Amino acid sequence: MARTLSLRMRIGLAIVLALLVVLGGRLFHIQGLDPAGHAHQAISNRLHTVELPAARGDIVDTQGRLLAGSADRYDIVADPRLTGDYTVPDEEMGMQRPVTVEQTAEELALLLEADAEDVLESLTAENTHYSTIARNVTPEVHQRIMELRAPGVYAEPVSERTYPSGPVAGSIIGFVGSDGPLEGLEAEANEALTGEPGERIYEVGADGVRIPTATYEEIPAEDGQDLRLTIDQDIQWFAQEAIAEKTNEYNAQWGNATVVDLREGREGEILAMADSETVDPSDPAATDELFRRPLALTQDFEPGSGGKSVTFAAALEEGVVEPESEFHVPYRITVNGESIRNARTHADYDMTAAGIYARSYNTGTLMIGNRMEEQTRYDYLRKVGYGEPMDIGLGVDGQSILRPPEEWDRRQPLTTQFGQGYTGSVLHNVQLYQMLAQDGVKHPLRIVDAHLDPDGEEHLVTSEPERIFSSNTSQEMLKLMEGVVDYGSAMGAQIDGYRVGGKSGTAEAAGASGGFDGYTVNFIGVAPLDDPQFVVSITVHRPAGQFGDWDLTNTFTDIMTHALTSYDVPPSEEESGAYDGFVGERQDYPW
């Protein structure tokens, strides 16, 4: 028995000695061989890092008016390991007054307009050091909560996006969802707007409380850039109201009004891109998905007679026609077995090229266009932008479909001359008239004017102009466009005191199941023609009624007049430069 006991004691003693050797070796390693490494690990275990969010940049209009900004808000959170009963000074009693965690919950609930039981549950949650009590509280409420000095209750700064102008330019600005930016400039320019977050690094003890005398380091955040747009908030609002009224008048599916600046140094800047219905970034779910993105980019359609401008400009550029070249124009003609007619029946007329354009006769347009090869006409369509996507920096490209001549069917060599057989977006059409109005030079359309650093430094967004037509072609096209307004298909576009030119168009709208089941009508105008300042485009898709029932010129004149007045554009000093439309003295032939 004694021998057995002695053996057990010896085994136990051996085990104890072995453990002492291991512990001693470990202690020697920590204190003798690698003291710095283990000290560093200990500090690392105590270090706590908090991200410091960067302020999101604002989005402002061309005059600096706020379209999207950020408001300071706070999330109220608790560390349940540290919450509990505490005391506060009571000046009336001259002593410390106890406050229970239940009383804290009731006071917080009163300030937050929340349920006291829910708040108490957040304060006393188990197995966590982070519990959210409330989100996005105002600075005023945050201040009153902090004055409670309740242990374990903290505030984390957050930023709430605000849109003071509501739906004005809503589809351009875009919106931010719970998962981040979703549409428009909020999404496309997110990296620039977001900036770089900073960090706050400090040591905490075992109780989770910061050690005041220990490590503390702060890397400040770099706030995001502001975006200054080319959009004029006032003109954008006016255009939205005007196009909504016109769209409702014709019970159409949608409408768009776009205004582009032609002033020196501002060429190609989009002042307004207004849809008949637009999203409020504060409540995007309330708006149909169709209107959450700019229709001027998302919807492509046949331009109709507006596309005749490419044919006429190309013919002038190639020297195959002059504005006063004479043609015998019938109501209907047959070319290569294909019959083409004009919108309304009429007698045969002896007309000038200018008159054909003003009255928008398909038959006369073919007589001019057929003086050029198919490939030549196609090349000009491509030069002005059709057949290529259009990117203005919104994260969605305007689409255009234009097949090469070898893929055309029997009618497309004819229909492409008067704006059918290919498609383009509103902005494709507007870009054409911008270059025709500005000496034949294409200034790419854009909607962002500059990125602004937090210190105020500007980074202007620029583009490279490209000559498409000669100066002479541009000047002649403006005179042809003036004939459209003086005596042609858009006499309602006249504005007292100003020379105005433009082109109207109507094209069949393709149905979802094939074929055509409606129309897209548009009018694009320029003023004043002696010194072009603005292009205004009006488009309405699928209006109710019959062909010929629709007139967009009053909406055009309202918006153009507003733009001219807003920018104090003086009246024209020159008389009309429009050419006669008919050969001979008589100019009043019936339609």
Side-chain angles (χ1 to χ4, degrees):
M1 180 71 179
R3 175 178 289 182
T4 301
L5 182 60
S6 176
L7 177 61
R8 288 178 179 175
M9 290 179 65
R10 286 198 293 270
I11 293 173
L13 182 60
I15 292 173
V16 171
L17 290 173
L19 290 173
L20 289 173
V21 170
V22 171
L23 292 173
R26 180 62 176 164
L27 182 63
F28 175 73
H29 179 267
I30 292 173
Q31 294 186 342
L33 299 181
D34 188 24
H38 285 84
H40 177 73
Q41 182 178 353
I43 292 175
S44 297
N45 290 337
R46 295 198 302 271
L47 284 180
H48 187 64
T49 301
V50 175
E51 183 178 284
L52 302 177
R56 188 171 180 82
D58 295 338
I59 300 176
V60 300
D61 83 337
T62 187
Q63 298 187 35
R65 293 171 292 201
L66 187 65
L67 295 171
S70 298
D72 291 336
R73 293 291 186 269
Y74 297 86
D75 287 347
I76 306 301
V77 299
D79 183 346
R81 299 174 304 174
L82 306 177
T83 58
D85 300 344
Y86 67 105
T87 61
V88 294
D90 191 320
E91 296 181 359
E92 292 184 2
M93 299 179 62
M95 57 184 297
Q96 294 292 110
R97 175 173 57 85
V99 179
T100 66
V101 68
E102 289 81 11
Q103 290 174 318
T104 300
E106 290 176 359
E107 290 186 81
L108 287 172
L110 183 63
L111 292 173
L112 295 169
E113 298 182 356
D115 184 82
E117 291 186 3
D118 292 339
V119 175
L120 180 62
E121 185 177 340
S122 297
L123 291 173
T124 58
E126 297 180 354
N127 302 319
T128 183
H129 67 278
Y130 187 91
S131 178
T132 301
I133 300 174
R135 294 191 182 277
N136 292 323
V137 305
T138 64
E140 292 78 16
V141 173
H142 156 258
Q143 180 64 28
R144 295 179 67 184
I145 289 174
M146 292 299 98
E147 289 173 355
L148 296 178
R149 298 181 181 178
V153 177
Y154 306 102
E156 295 182 345
V158 294
S159 182
E160 182 182 68
R161 207 61 169 159
T162 62
Y163 304 94
S165 296
V168 176
S171 61
I172 297 168
I173 297 167
F175 46 87
V176 177
S178 58
D179 296 328
L182 299 178
E183 292 289 357
L185 288 168
E186 291 280 31
E188 183 66 9
N190 183 53
E191 184 175 350
L193 290 166
T194 300
E196 292 290 335
E199 286 184 337
R200 181 180 294 130
I201 304 170
Y202 55 90
E203 288 185 51
V204 296
D207 58 359
V209 178
R210 179 192 161 212
I211 303 173
T213 59
T215 301
Y216 183 88
E217 182 180 358
E218 184 167 303
I219 302 172
E222 296 181 14
D223 292 342
Q225 291 179 314
D226 293 344
L227 287 186
R228 185 174 67 221
L229 307 187
T230 63
I231 293 293
D232 183 306
Q233 182 187 48
D234 176 60
I235 294 179
Q236 175 74 26
W237 173 83
F238 189 91
Q240 284 183 199
E241 294 293 306
I243 193 60
E245 182 179 353
K246 177 58 68 174
T247 304
N248 290 336
E249 177 186 346
Y250 291 140
N251 194 27
Q253 183 176 344
W254 58 261
N256 171 269
T258 295
V259 183
V260 170
D261 207 333
L262 304 179
R263 294 173 300 154
E264 185 176 358
R266 298 286 187 176
E267 299 93 340
E269 294 187 356
I270 299 173
L271 287 170
M273 195 162 64
D275 297 330
S276 50
E277 181 179 347
T278 192
V279 62
D280 184 339
S282 300
D283 188 16
T287 303
D288 187 277
E289 188 174 354
L290 173 67
F291 299 100
R292 296 179 195 172
R293 291 181 169 186
L295 298 175
L297 287 167
T298 62
Q299 305 300 303
D300 63 306
F301 50 90
E302 293 185 350
S305 291
K308 290 173 181 171
S309 295
V310 182
T311 302
F312 277 78
L316 290 169
E317 190 76 6
E318 292 295 309
V320 300
V321 74
E322 297 291 337
E324 294 181 299
S325 297
E326 299 178 3
F327 298 87
H328 187 70
V329 183
Y331 159 69
R332 184 193 302 269
I333 62 173
T334 300
V335 180
N336 297 329
E338 297 293 327
S339 179
I340 300 294
R341 61 181 177 82
N342 295 326
R344 297 180 178 88
T345 59
H346 61 80
D348 293 357
Y349 292 137
D350 291 322
M351 304 184 71
T352 64
I356 293 170
Y357 184 84
R359 287 207 170 183
S360 200
Y361 285 155
N362 296 337
T363 56
T365 300
L366 294 181
M367 293 176 183
I368 294 170
N370 283 339
R371 293 184 175 187
M372 297 177 287
E373 299 292 331
E374 289 180 10
Q375 187 66 44
T376 300
R377 298 195 303 268
Y378 170 79
D379 289 343
Y380 274 101
L381 284 167
R382 291 301 295 261
K383 283 181 181 180
V384 302
Y386 291 108
E388 295 286 345
M390 179 172 289
D391 178 13
I392 63 169
L394 276 179
V396 54
D397 292 348
Q399 298 301 313
S400 174
I401 300 172
L402 173 64
R403 303 300 182 192
E406 57 268 24
E407 296 181 14
W408 287 352
D409 61 25
R410 291 179 57 185
R411 288 183 66 83
Q412 279 181 292
L414 308 176
T415 59
T416 51
Q417 297 185 49
F418 46 81
Q420 297 178 14
Y422 65 94
T423 71
S425 68
V426 166
L427 293 191
H428 281 89
N429 301 333
V430 171
Q431 184 79 81
L432 166 63
Y433 287 85
Q434 172 274 312
M435 66 185 76
L436 292 176
Q438 293 195 287
D439 206 43
V441 176
K442 176 183 178 182
H443 293 271
L445 303 181
R446 56 193 178 90
I447 205 160
V448 177
D449 179 44
H451 291 74
L452 310 176
D453 290 340
D455 62 5
E457 183 177 353
E458 295 187 357
H459 303 274
L460 295 175
V461 176
T462 60
S463 59
E464 290 296 324
E466 177 186 5
R467 178 165 292 283
I468 303 299
F469 299 107
S470 67
S471 178
N472 182 68
T473 295
S474 170
Q475 293 302 315
E476 297 291 21
M477 284 300 301
L478 288 178
K479 294 177 183 178
L480 264 59
M481 292 163 64
E482 192 163 22
V484 173
V485 175
D486 280 5
Y487 62 84
S489 59
M491 290 187 286
Q494 296 174 16
I495 299 175
D496 288 343
Y498 295 92
R499 291 177 59 196
V500 180
K503 191 73 182 77
S504 55
T506 303
E508 291 182 297
S513 58
F516 298 98
D517 58 2
Y519 293 91
T520 305
V521 294
N522 58 81
F523 177 79
I524 304 178
V526 179
L529 294 186
D530 43 337
D531 184 17
Q533 300 289 292
F534 304 108
V535 171
V536 173
S537 164
I538 310 296
T539 306
V540 173
H541 186 63
R542 298 188 187 281
Q546 301 298 316
F547 180 89
D549 288 349
W550 315 293
D551 180 16
L552 308 183
T553 57
N554 59 341
T555 304
F556 162 82
T557 57
D558 287 346
I559 296 175
M560 179 63 85
T561 300
H562 185 73
L564 294 169
T565 303
S566 296
Y567 286 88
D568 297 321
V569 177
S572 298
E573 296 181 356
E574 301 176 7
E575 297 296 325
S576 172
Y579 293 99
D580 286 346
F582 295 89
V583 178
E585 293 295 325
R586 183 180 176 185
Q587 297 294 315
D588 59 348
Y589 289 97
W591 283 76

